[in-house]
Amino acid sequence: MRIVGTACLSFLVSACASNTDRIEDLARESHLTRTMFDAEGYRTFIYMRPNTSAADRLTVFLEGDGVPWRAGIVPSTDPSTAHPIALRLLMRTPGAGADVARPCYHELPSARCTPELWTNARYSVEVVDAMAATVREAARLAAAREI
């Protein structure tokens, strides 16, 4: 009976964790480093292997749209993905690699972050520029000659 109670409690605690918390746990378990970055005025971050330095080529993964809408009609309060495919690809890819988070995802507060940014404007020039700046920062951190 005690085992069942412990299993139920563990399930309830993990069910209450946010998508961001689950992503952070997965990155930590995989020994990835996280670097916070100000990308064109938006806070974002980069996950990398700790030994990614002086790389000839850096493989970069961009996380998808995540959950911009709830039920397809209401903007999500946290658009972070429930299924971090880019992070999982980074974990399985040999060599230097980085996972670049989208601006305003992962519960990174900013006055510039509004639901419009992760719904209708998620492919706007503003968002694309911020992601491109983050990719350039990942390449700089890895001292990569090629992306």
Side-chain angles (χ1 to χ4, degrees), residues 1-16:
M1 184 66 171
R2 186 176 289 212
I3 293 171
V4 171
T6 302
C8 287
L9 180 60
S10 294
F11 174 77
L12 289 174
V13 168
S14 67
C16 294

Side-chain angles (χ1 to χ4, degrees), residues 31-71:
H31 307 288
L32 300 174
T33 61
R34 184 180 86 160
T35 302
M36 191 74 63
F37 181 63
D38 184 310
E40 306 289 319
Y42 295 102
R43 291 176 58 202
T44 187
F45 50 81
I46 305 161
Y47 289 110
M48 297 177 85
R49 287 190 193 84
N51 61 349
T52 299
S53 62
D56 284 334
R57 177 179 295 166
L58 179 69
T59 302
V60 176
F61 297 96
L62 305 175
E63 200 59 67
D65 289 348
V67 188
W69 301 95
R70 288 185 316 196

Side-chain angles (χ1 to χ4, degrees), residues 7 16-20 31 51 53-54 58 70 74 79-80 82 100 105-106 109 118 121 127 142:
C16 294
S18 70
N19 290 343
T20 298
H31 307 288
N51 61 349
S53 62
L58 179 69
R70 288 185 316 196
V74 178
S80 304
V100 171
Y105 279 47
H106 302 282
W118 60 79
V127 170

